[in-house]
mmCIF file of all heavy atoms in Angstrom:
data_model
loop_
_atom_site.group_PDB
_atom_site.id
_atom_site.type_symbol
_atom_site.label_atom_id
_atom_site.label_comp_id
_atom_site.label_asym_id
_atom_site.label_seq_id
_atom_site.Cartn_x
_atom_site.Cartn_y
_atom_site.Cartn_z
ATOM 1 N N ASP V 370 15.624 10.408 -10.954
ATOM 2 C CA ASP V 370 16.942 11.080 -11.079
ATOM 3 C C ASP V 370 17.076 11.685 -12.387
ATOM 4 O O ASP V 370 17.724 12.904 -12.419
ATOM 5 C CB ASP V 370 17.986 9.987 -10.922
ATOM 6 C CG ASP V 370 18.015 9.371 -9.451
ATOM 7 O OD1 ASP V 370 17.490 9.986 -8.616
ATOM 8 O OD2 ASP V 370 18.620 8.328 -9.323
ATOM 9 N N MET V 371 16.440 11.094 -13.464
ATOM 10 C CA MET V 371 16.566 11.759 -14.738
ATOM 11 C C MET V 371 15.685 13.034 -14.755
ATOM 12 O O MET V 371 16.163 14.023 -15.381
ATOM 13 C CB MET V 371 16.053 10.766 -15.734
ATOM 14 C CG MET V 371 16.920 9.513 -15.994
ATOM 15 S SD MET V 371 16.109 8.199 -16.907
ATOM 16 C CE MET V 371 16.175 9.053 -18.574
ATOM 17 N N LEU V 372 14.561 13.135 -14.109
ATOM 18 C CA LEU V 372 13.808 14.329 -14.024
ATOM 19 C C LEU V 372 14.585 15.478 -13.347
ATOM 20 O O LEU V 372 14.510 16.643 -13.780
ATOM 21 C CB LEU V 372 12.439 14.055 -13.291
ATOM 22 C CG LEU V 372 11.428 13.290 -14.118
ATOM 23 C CD1 LEU V 372 10.285 12.836 -13.120
ATOM 24 C CD2 LEU V 372 10.862 14.107 -15.179
ATOM 25 N N ARG V 373 15.264 15.015 -12.211
ATOM 26 C CA ARG V 373 16.121 16.053 -11.523
ATOM 27 C C ARG V 373 17.276 16.600 -12.527
ATOM 28 O O ARG V 373 17.474 17.896 -12.576
ATOM 29 C CB ARG V 373 16.815 15.386 -10.384
ATOM 30 C CG ARG V 373 15.843 15.198 -9.252
ATOM 31 C CD ARG V 373 16.466 14.498 -8.036
ATOM 32 N NE ARG V 373 15.613 14.448 -6.900
ATOM 33 C CZ ARG V 373 15.968 13.788 -5.601
ATOM 34 N NH1 ARG V 373 17.088 13.047 -5.663
ATOM 35 N NH2 ARG V 373 15.149 13.793 -4.692
ATOM 36 N N VAL V 374 17.904 15.715 -13.218
ATOM 37 C CA VAL V 374 18.916 16.195 -14.149
ATOM 38 C C VAL V 374 18.373 17.051 -15.152
ATOM 39 O O VAL V 374 18.951 18.083 -15.673
ATOM 40 C CB VAL V 374 19.586 14.983 -14.839
ATOM 41 C CG1 VAL V 374 20.576 15.352 -15.983
ATOM 42 C CG2 VAL V 374 20.441 14.130 -13.925
ATOM 43 N N GLN V 375 17.029 16.887 -15.592
ATOM 44 C CA GLN V 375 16.484 17.631 -16.588
ATOM 45 C C GLN V 375 15.727 19.028 -15.949
ATOM 46 O O GLN V 375 15.067 19.676 -16.681
ATOM 47 C CB GLN V 375 15.308 16.946 -17.387
ATOM 48 C CG GLN V 375 16.014 15.864 -18.317
ATOM 49 C CD GLN V 375 14.919 15.038 -18.975
ATOM 50 O OE1 GLN V 375 15.133 13.720 -19.110
ATOM 51 N NE2 GLN V 375 13.881 15.554 -19.449
ATOM 52 N N GLY V 376 15.984 19.135 -14.673
ATOM 53 C CA GLY V 376 15.506 20.299 -13.974
ATOM 54 C C GLY V 376 14.060 20.273 -13.568
ATOM 55 O O GLY V 376 13.472 21.306 -13.182
ATOM 56 N N ASN V 377 13.409 19.075 -13.482
ATOM 57 C CA ASN V 377 12.004 19.078 -13.128
ATOM 58 C C ASN V 377 11.896 18.425 -11.666
ATOM 59 O O ASN V 377 11.463 17.309 -11.496
ATOM 60 C CB ASN V 377 11.276 18.150 -14.090
ATOM 61 C CG ASN V 377 9.681 18.332 -14.079
ATOM 62 O OD1 ASN V 377 9.208 18.750 -13.116
ATOM 63 N ND2 ASN V 377 9.047 18.080 -15.202
ATOM 64 N N GLU V 378 12.336 19.292 -10.783
ATOM 65 C CA GLU V 378 12.370 18.780 -9.425
ATOM 66 C C GLU V 378 11.021 18.532 -8.894
ATOM 67 O O GLU V 378 10.767 17.635 -7.991
ATOM 68 C CB GLU V 378 13.141 19.925 -8.457
ATOM 69 C CG GLU V 378 14.520 20.023 -8.647
ATOM 70 C CD GLU V 378 15.369 18.846 -8.047
ATOM 71 O OE1 GLU V 378 14.725 18.044 -7.376
ATOM 72 O OE2 GLU V 378 16.502 18.701 -8.390
ATOM 73 N N ALA V 379 10.032 19.348 -9.199
ATOM 74 C CA ALA V 379 8.567 19.113 -8.666
ATOM 75 C C ALA V 379 8.065 17.769 -9.075
ATOM 76 O O ALA V 379 7.542 16.993 -8.223
ATOM 77 C CB ALA V 379 7.729 20.208 -9.191
ATOM 78 N N LEU V 380 8.169 17.439 -10.305
ATOM 79 C CA LEU V 380 7.618 16.134 -10.809
ATOM 80 C C LEU V 380 8.559 14.964 -10.189
ATOM 81 O O LEU V 380 7.967 13.952 -9.858
ATOM 82 C CB LEU V 380 7.750 16.071 -12.296
ATOM 83 C CG LEU V 380 7.040 14.718 -12.888
ATOM 84 C CD1 LEU V 380 5.587 14.559 -12.441
ATOM 85 C CD2 LEU V 380 7.007 14.842 -14.440
ATOM 86 N N ALA V 381 9.815 15.225 -9.978
ATOM 87 C CA ALA V 381 10.728 14.217 -9.307
ATOM 88 C C ALA V 381 10.179 13.953 -7.873
ATOM 89 O O ALA V 381 10.121 12.680 -7.498
ATOM 90 C CB ALA V 381 12.127 14.688 -9.343
ATOM 91 N N ALA V 382 9.791 14.919 -7.259
ATOM 92 C CA ALA V 382 9.243 14.739 -5.877
ATOM 93 C C ALA V 382 8.028 13.907 -5.867
ATOM 94 O O ALA V 382 7.680 13.160 -5.036
ATOM 95 C CB ALA V 382 9.001 16.128 -5.265
ATOM 96 N N GLU V 383 7.200 14.313 -6.870
ATOM 97 C CA GLU V 383 5.815 13.395 -7.019
ATOM 98 C C GLU V 383 6.106 12.018 -7.279
ATOM 99 O O GLU V 383 5.358 11.116 -6.849
ATOM 100 C CB GLU V 383 4.989 13.989 -8.232
ATOM 101 C CG GLU V 383 4.367 15.351 -7.845
ATOM 102 C CD GLU V 383 3.421 15.840 -8.993
ATOM 103 O OE1 GLU V 383 2.373 15.178 -9.183
ATOM 104 O OE2 GLU V 383 3.674 16.836 -9.644
ATOM 105 N N VAL V 384 7.132 11.736 -8.109
ATOM 106 C CA VAL V 384 7.434 10.345 -8.397
ATOM 107 C C VAL V 384 7.885 9.692 -7.062
ATOM 108 O O VAL V 384 7.453 8.430 -6.853
ATOM 109 C CB VAL V 384 8.662 10.249 -9.431
ATOM 110 C CG1 VAL V 384 9.239 8.877 -9.479
ATOM 111 C CG2 VAL V 384 8.128 10.616 -10.743
ATOM 112 N N ARG V 385 8.723 10.327 -6.235
ATOM 113 C CA ARG V 385 9.132 9.716 -5.027
ATOM 114 C C ARG V 385 8.013 9.438 -4.049
ATOM 115 O O ARG V 385 7.873 8.342 -3.542
ATOM 116 C CB ARG V 385 10.093 10.702 -4.304
ATOM 117 C CG ARG V 385 10.527 10.221 -2.953
ATOM 118 C CD ARG V 385 11.594 9.144 -2.933
ATOM 119 N NE ARG V 385 11.028 7.952 -2.677
ATOM 120 C CZ ARG V 385 11.717 6.749 -2.520
ATOM 121 N NH1 ARG V 385 12.968 6.842 -2.569
ATOM 122 N NH2 ARG V 385 11.140 5.675 -2.231
ATOM 123 N N ARG V 386 7.110 10.266 -4.023
ATOM 124 C CA ARG V 386 5.784 10.111 -3.153
ATOM 125 C C ARG V 386 4.959 8.951 -3.756
ATOM 126 O O ARG V 386 4.426 8.133 -2.986
ATOM 127 C CB ARG V 386 4.969 11.305 -3.162
ATOM 128 C CG ARG V 386 5.601 12.443 -2.249
ATOM 129 C CD ARG V 386 4.635 13.566 -1.902
ATOM 130 N NE ARG V 386 4.296 14.314 -3.070
ATOM 131 C CZ ARG V 386 4.933 15.323 -3.547
ATOM 132 N NH1 ARG V 386 6.049 15.772 -2.971
ATOM 133 N NH2 ARG V 386 4.458 16.008 -4.688
ATOM 134 N N PHE V 387 4.920 8.882 -5.131
ATOM 135 C CA PHE V 387 4.118 7.814 -5.696
ATOM 136 C C PHE V 387 4.738 6.375 -5.367
ATOM 137 O O PHE V 387 3.998 5.476 -5.041
ATOM 138 C CB PHE V 387 4.217 8.033 -7.234
ATOM 139 C CG PHE V 387 3.469 7.060 -8.011
ATOM 140 C CD1 PHE V 387 2.077 7.078 -8.189
ATOM 141 C CD2 PHE V 387 4.153 6.005 -8.710
ATOM 142 C CE1 PHE V 387 1.443 6.092 -8.975
ATOM 143 C CE2 PHE V 387 3.545 5.103 -9.517
ATOM 144 C CZ PHE V 387 2.166 5.096 -9.609
ATOM 145 N N VAL V 388 6.003 6.266 -5.327
ATOM 146 C CA VAL V 388 6.655 5.089 -5.030
ATOM 147 C C VAL V 388 6.363 4.785 -3.602
ATOM 148 O O VAL V 388 6.154 3.573 -3.167
ATOM 149 C CB VAL V 388 8.125 5.048 -5.368
ATOM 150 C CG1 VAL V 388 8.805 3.794 -4.878
ATOM 151 C CG2 VAL V 388 8.395 5.226 -6.806
ATOM 152 N N ASP V 389 6.513 5.665 -2.647
ATOM 153 C CA ASP V 389 6.420 5.538 -1.286
ATOM 154 C C ASP V 389 4.980 4.926 -0.886
ATOM 155 O O ASP V 389 4.958 4.238 0.172
ATOM 156 C CB ASP V 389 6.705 6.831 -0.547
ATOM 157 C CG ASP V 389 8.021 7.170 -0.492
ATOM 158 O OD1 ASP V 389 9.030 6.314 -0.807
ATOM 159 O OD2 ASP V 389 8.409 8.369 -0.257
ATOM 160 N N VAL V 390 4.010 5.298 -1.618
ATOM 161 C CA VAL V 390 2.654 4.790 -1.191
ATOM 162 C C VAL V 390 2.172 3.524 -1.935
ATOM 163 O O VAL V 390 0.995 3.213 -1.817
ATOM 164 C CB VAL V 390 1.673 5.974 -1.318
ATOM 165 C CG1 VAL V 390 2.005 7.049 -0.424
ATOM 166 C CG2 VAL V 390 1.433 6.408 -2.767
ATOM 167 N N MET V 391 2.978 2.996 -2.732
ATOM 168 C CA MET V 391 2.581 1.734 -3.355
ATOM 169 C C MET V 391 2.273 0.583 -2.422
ATOM 170 O O MET V 391 2.959 0.478 -1.323
ATOM 171 C CB MET V 391 3.670 1.187 -4.331
ATOM 172 C CG MET V 391 3.809 1.850 -5.645
ATOM 173 S SD MET V 391 5.084 1.090 -6.648
ATOM 174 C CE MET V 391 4.964 2.130 -8.251
ATOM 175 N N SER V 392 1.126 -0.079 -2.630
ATOM 176 C CA SER V 392 0.727 -1.188 -1.795
ATOM 177 C C SER V 392 1.698 -2.321 -1.850
ATOM 178 O O SER V 392 2.309 -2.465 -2.978
ATOM 179 C CB SER V 392 -0.724 -1.593 -1.971
ATOM 180 O OG SER V 392 -0.819 -2.004 -3.252
ATOM 181 N N PRO V 393 1.893 -3.242 -0.963
ATOM 182 C CA PRO V 393 2.751 -4.323 -1.026
ATOM 183 C C PRO V 393 2.275 -5.229 -2.194
ATOM 184 O O PRO V 393 1.119 -5.471 -2.290
ATOM 185 C CB PRO V 393 2.624 -5.067 0.376
ATOM 186 C CG PRO V 393 2.097 -4.009 1.278
ATOM 187 C CD PRO V 393 1.259 -3.155 0.464
ATOM 188 N N PRO V 394 3.160 -5.968 -2.858
ATOM 189 C CA PRO V 394 2.747 -6.789 -3.918
ATOM 190 C C PRO V 394 2.273 -8.174 -3.335
ATOM 191 O O PRO V 394 2.888 -8.845 -2.569
ATOM 192 C CB PRO V 394 4.174 -7.132 -4.743
ATOM 193 C CG PRO V 394 5.208 -6.838 -3.685
ATOM 194 C CD PRO V 394 4.729 -5.745 -2.831
ATOM 195 N N ARG V 395 0.980 -8.396 -3.643
ATOM 196 C CA ARG V 395 0.347 -9.618 -3.200
ATOM 197 C C ARG V 395 -0.347 -10.288 -4.404
ATOM 198 O O ARG V 395 -0.977 -9.555 -5.202
ATOM 199 C CB ARG V 395 -0.679 -9.301 -2.129
ATOM 200 C CG ARG V 395 -0.111 -8.676 -0.800
ATOM 201 C CD ARG V 395 -1.166 -8.694 0.182
ATOM 202 N NE ARG V 395 -0.713 -8.106 1.466
ATOM 203 C CZ ARG V 395 -1.106 -6.858 2.034
ATOM 204 N NH1 ARG V 395 -1.979 -6.140 1.236
ATOM 205 N NH2 ARG V 395 -0.695 -6.424 2.994
ATOM 206 N N THR V 396 -0.501 -11.590 -4.313
ATOM 207 C CA THR V 396 -1.403 -12.241 -5.184
ATOM 208 C C THR V 396 -2.832 -12.099 -4.771
ATOM 209 O O THR V 396 -3.091 -11.622 -3.650
ATOM 210 C CB THR V 396 -1.147 -13.782 -5.277
ATOM 211 O OG1 THR V 396 -1.374 -14.417 -3.905
ATOM 212 C CG2 THR V 396 0.279 -14.081 -5.612
ATOM 213 N N GLU V 397 -3.763 -12.446 -5.535
ATOM 214 C CA GLU V 397 -5.082 -12.263 -5.319
ATOM 215 C C GLU V 397 -5.472 -13.078 -4.057
ATOM 216 O O GLU V 397 -6.187 -12.599 -3.100
ATOM 217 C CB GLU V 397 -6.027 -12.751 -6.421
ATOM 218 C CG GLU V 397 -7.569 -12.446 -6.203
ATOM 219 C CD GLU V 397 -8.354 -12.687 -7.502
ATOM 220 O OE1 GLU V 397 -8.330 -13.801 -8.044
ATOM 221 O OE2 GLU V 397 -8.972 -11.755 -7.983
ATOM 222 N N ARG V 398 -5.022 -14.319 -3.929
ATOM 223 C CA ARG V 398 -5.344 -15.130 -2.820
ATOM 224 C C ARG V 398 -4.781 -14.547 -1.522
ATOM 225 O O ARG V 398 -5.394 -14.595 -0.461
ATOM 226 C CB ARG V 398 -4.840 -16.496 -2.949
ATOM 227 C CG ARG V 398 -5.172 -17.513 -1.916
ATOM 228 C CD ARG V 398 -4.807 -18.919 -2.246
ATOM 229 N NE ARG V 398 -5.367 -19.434 -3.461
ATOM 230 C CZ ARG V 398 -5.130 -20.655 -3.985
ATOM 231 N NH1 ARG V 398 -4.321 -21.406 -3.346
ATOM 232 N NH2 ARG V 398 -5.684 -20.991 -5.165
ATOM 233 N N GLU V 399 -3.527 -14.000 -1.630
ATOM 234 C CA GLU V 399 -2.894 -13.284 -0.425
ATOM 235 C C GLU V 399 -3.733 -12.101 0.011
ATOM 236 O O GLU V 399 -3.912 -11.918 1.238
ATOM 237 C CB GLU V 399 -1.501 -12.999 -0.794
ATOM 238 C CG GLU V 399 -0.533 -14.193 -0.805
ATOM 239 C CD GLU V 399 0.941 -13.823 -1.359
ATOM 240 O OE1 GLU V 399 0.939 -12.729 -1.999
ATOM 241 O OE2 GLU V 399 1.780 -14.432 -0.942
ATOM 242 N N SER V 400 -4.279 -11.336 -0.925
ATOM 243 C CA SER V 400 -5.019 -10.238 -0.620
ATOM 244 C C SER V 400 -6.367 -10.636 0.058
ATOM 245 O O SER V 400 -6.824 -9.970 1.078
ATOM 246 C CB SER V 400 -5.320 -9.358 -1.834
ATOM 247 O OG SER V 400 -4.248 -8.878 -2.467
ATOM 248 N N ILE V 401 -6.994 -11.767 -0.423
ATOM 249 C CA ILE V 401 -8.183 -12.168 0.225
ATOM 250 C C ILE V 401 -7.875 -12.617 1.596
ATOM 251 O O ILE V 401 -8.580 -12.496 2.676
ATOM 252 C CB ILE V 401 -8.874 -13.278 -0.634
ATOM 253 C CG1 ILE V 401 -9.316 -12.780 -1.894
ATOM 254 C CG2 ILE V 401 -9.961 -14.002 0.139
ATOM 255 C CD1 ILE V 401 -9.869 -13.812 -2.872
ATOM 256 N N ALA V 402 -6.754 -13.385 1.759
ATOM 257 C CA ALA V 402 -6.293 -13.878 3.142
ATOM 258 C C ALA V 402 -6.108 -12.759 4.139
ATOM 259 O O ALA V 402 -6.529 -12.777 5.405
ATOM 260 C CB ALA V 402 -5.115 -14.774 3.099
ATOM 261 N N THR V 403 -5.465 -11.721 3.604
ATOM 262 C CA THR V 403 -5.241 -10.504 4.494
ATOM 263 C C THR V 403 -6.531 -9.883 4.921
ATOM 264 O O THR V 403 -6.735 -9.417 6.013
ATOM 265 C CB THR V 403 -4.403 -9.467 3.734
ATOM 266 O OG1 THR V 403 -3.083 -10.038 3.414
ATOM 267 C CG2 THR V 403 -4.230 -8.235 4.484
ATOM 268 N N ALA V 404 -7.638 -9.725 3.934
ATOM 269 C CA ALA V 404 -8.893 -9.183 4.218
ATOM 270 C C ALA V 404 -9.582 -10.056 5.158
ATOM 271 O O ALA V 404 -10.285 -9.525 6.095
ATOM 272 C CB ALA V 404 -9.754 -9.055 2.905
ATOM 273 N N LEU V 405 -9.488 -11.308 5.170
ATOM 274 C CA LEU V 405 -10.133 -12.216 6.148
ATOM 275 C C LEU V 405 -9.572 -12.033 7.454
ATOM 276 O O LEU V 405 -10.230 -12.001 8.518
ATOM 277 C CB LEU V 405 -9.962 -13.711 5.686
ATOM 278 C CG LEU V 405 -10.811 -14.139 4.384
ATOM 279 C CD1 LEU V 405 -10.427 -15.548 3.977
ATOM 280 C CD2 LEU V 405 -12.297 -14.040 4.785
ATOM 281 N N GLN V 406 -8.194 -11.938 7.558
ATOM 282 C CA GLN V 406 -7.533 -11.697 8.744
ATOM 283 C C GLN V 406 -8.058 -10.395 9.546
ATOM 284 O O GLN V 406 -8.211 -10.218 10.761
ATOM 285 C CB GLN V 406 -6.058 -11.612 8.789
ATOM 286 C CG GLN V 406 -5.476 -13.107 8.352
ATOM 287 C CD GLN V 406 -3.953 -13.016 8.138
ATOM 288 O OE1 GLN V 406 -3.507 -12.102 7.484
ATOM 289 N NE2 GLN V 406 -3.202 -13.908 8.655
ATOM 290 N N GLU V 407 -8.071 -9.292 8.676
ATOM 291 C CA GLU V 407 -8.544 -8.024 9.199
ATOM 292 C C GLU V 407 -9.994 -8.071 9.613
ATOM 293 O O GLU V 407 -10.276 -7.533 10.597
ATOM 294 C CB GLU V 407 -8.441 -6.941 8.029
ATOM 295 C CG GLU V 407 -6.900 -6.611 7.712
ATOM 296 C CD GLU V 407 -6.807 -5.734 6.561
ATOM 297 O OE1 GLU V 407 -7.792 -5.498 5.855
ATOM 298 O OE2 GLU V 407 -5.589 -5.229 6.229
ATOM 299 N N TRP V 408 -10.836 -8.794 8.835
ATOM 300 C CA TRP V 408 -12.180 -8.982 9.213
ATOM 301 C C TRP V 408 -12.299 -9.726 10.669
ATOM 302 O O TRP V 408 -13.054 -9.272 11.409
ATOM 303 C CB TRP V 408 -12.988 -9.680 8.226
ATOM 304 C CG TRP V 408 -14.376 -10.044 8.479
ATOM 305 C CD1 TRP V 408 -15.442 -9.183 8.397
ATOM 306 C CD2 TRP V 408 -14.845 -11.231 8.987
ATOM 307 N NE1 TRP V 408 -16.614 -9.797 8.773
ATOM 308 C CE2 TRP V 408 -16.238 -11.087 9.110
ATOM 309 C CE3 TRP V 408 -14.386 -12.412 9.254
ATOM 310 C CZ2 TRP V 408 -17.086 -12.079 9.645
ATOM 311 C CZ3 TRP V 408 -15.056 -13.530 9.740
ATOM 312 C CH2 TRP V 408 -16.438 -13.342 9.947
ATOM 313 N N ALA V 409 -11.478 -10.794 10.801
ATOM 314 C CA ALA V 409 -11.515 -11.579 12.015
ATOM 315 C C ALA V 409 -11.046 -10.723 13.235
ATOM 316 O O ALA V 409 -11.628 -10.796 14.279
ATOM 317 C CB ALA V 409 -10.658 -12.750 11.848
ATOM 318 N N HIS V 410 -10.103 -9.909 12.947
ATOM 319 C CA HIS V 410 -9.640 -9.019 13.956
ATOM 320 C C HIS V 410 -10.710 -7.974 14.445
ATOM 321 O O HIS V 410 -10.750 -7.747 15.622
ATOM 322 C CB HIS V 410 -8.351 -8.221 13.514
ATOM 323 C CG HIS V 410 -7.882 -7.268 14.501
ATOM 324 N ND1 HIS V 410 -7.174 -7.657 15.697
ATOM 325 C CD2 HIS V 410 -7.881 -5.886 14.484
ATOM 326 C CE1 HIS V 410 -6.831 -6.540 16.362
ATOM 327 N NE2 HIS V 410 -7.252 -5.446 15.690
ATOM 328 N N VAL V 411 -11.379 -7.336 13.482
ATOM 329 C CA VAL V 411 -12.448 -6.489 13.823
ATOM 330 C C VAL V 411 -13.506 -7.094 14.565
ATOM 331 O O VAL V 411 -14.036 -6.612 15.620
ATOM 332 C CB VAL V 411 -13.109 -5.771 12.419
ATOM 333 C CG1 VAL V 411 -14.330 -4.990 12.771
ATOM 334 C CG2 VAL V 411 -11.946 -4.844 11.819
ATOM 335 N N ARG V 412 -13.918 -8.268 14.150
ATOM 336 C CA ARG V 412 -14.965 -9.107 14.862
ATOM 337 C C ARG V 412 -14.447 -9.348 16.375
ATOM 338 O O ARG V 412 -15.337 -9.360 17.268
ATOM 339 C CB ARG V 412 -15.305 -10.340 14.108
ATOM 340 C CG ARG V 412 -15.990 -10.125 12.790
ATOM 341 C CD ARG V 412 -17.395 -9.521 12.967
ATOM 342 N NE ARG V 412 -18.273 -10.375 13.821
ATOM 343 C CZ ARG V 412 -19.002 -11.344 13.278
ATOM 344 N NH1 ARG V 412 -18.984 -11.631 11.945
ATOM 345 N NH2 ARG V 412 -19.814 -12.042 14.159
ATOM 346 N N LYS V 413 -13.243 -9.712 16.468
ATOM 347 C CA LYS V 413 -12.749 -10.061 17.842
ATOM 348 C C LYS V 413 -12.846 -8.793 18.786
ATOM 349 O O LYS V 413 -13.233 -8.890 19.880
ATOM 350 C CB LYS V 413 -11.312 -10.467 17.698
ATOM 351 C CG LYS V 413 -10.661 -10.995 19.016
ATOM 352 C CD LYS V 413 -9.301 -11.443 18.824
ATOM 353 C CE LYS V 413 -8.709 -11.927 20.258
ATOM 354 N NZ LYS V 413 -7.329 -12.505 20.041
ATOM 355 N N VAL V 414 -12.331 -7.605 18.124
ATOM 356 C CA VAL V 414 -12.426 -6.381 18.947
ATOM 357 C C VAL V 414 -13.864 -6.015 19.260
ATOM 358 O O VAL V 414 -14.117 -5.630 20.430
ATOM 359 C CB VAL V 414 -11.788 -5.213 18.146
ATOM 360 C CG1 VAL V 414 -12.044 -3.900 18.726
ATOM 361 C CG2 VAL V 414 -10.237 -5.447 17.950
ATOM 362 N N GLU V 415 -14.748 -6.189 18.318
ATOM 363 C CA GLU V 415 -16.172 -5.845 18.589
ATOM 364 C C GLU V 415 -16.717 -6.827 19.735
ATOM 365 O O GLU V 415 -17.518 -6.377 20.659
ATOM 366 C CB GLU V 415 -17.052 -5.935 17.293
ATOM 367 C CG GLU V 415 -16.724 -4.882 16.287
ATOM 368 C CD GLU V 415 -17.369 -5.093 15.050
ATOM 369 O OE1 GLU V 415 -18.022 -6.210 14.875
ATOM 370 O OE2 GLU V 415 -17.493 -4.049 14.216
ATOM 371 N N HIS V 416 -16.374 -8.043 19.611
ATOM 372 C CA HIS V 416 -16.831 -8.936 20.595
ATOM 373 C C HIS V 416 -16.273 -8.619 22.042
ATOM 374 O O HIS V 416 -16.995 -8.739 22.978
ATOM 375 C CB HIS V 416 -16.378 -10.501 20.184
ATOM 376 C CG HIS V 416 -16.747 -11.471 21.129
ATOM 377 N ND1 HIS V 416 -18.181 -11.876 21.267
ATOM 378 C CD2 HIS V 416 -16.105 -12.243 22.132
ATOM 379 C CE1 HIS V 416 -18.205 -12.812 22.361
ATOM 380 N NE2 HIS V 416 -16.935 -13.108 22.755
ATOM 381 N N THR V 417 -15.027 -8.324 22.043
ATOM 382 C CA THR V 417 -14.386 -7.843 23.328
ATOM 383 C C THR V 417 -15.136 -6.711 23.985
ATOM 384 O O THR V 417 -15.344 -6.642 25.188
ATOM 385 C CB THR V 417 -12.920 -7.635 23.183
ATOM 386 O OG1 THR V 417 -12.293 -8.816 22.588
ATOM 387 C CG2 THR V 417 -12.281 -7.180 24.449
#
């Protein structure tokens, strides 16, 4: 919003996109658990 007020619409749009693609906040253990779940899902699909 401050960038818009200062007339920098292009950078303001970049900031909005930057926020939109932030990954969800996870602890390291939660990230490992998510990776294990994804790995198990891929193995299940391959087995099927």
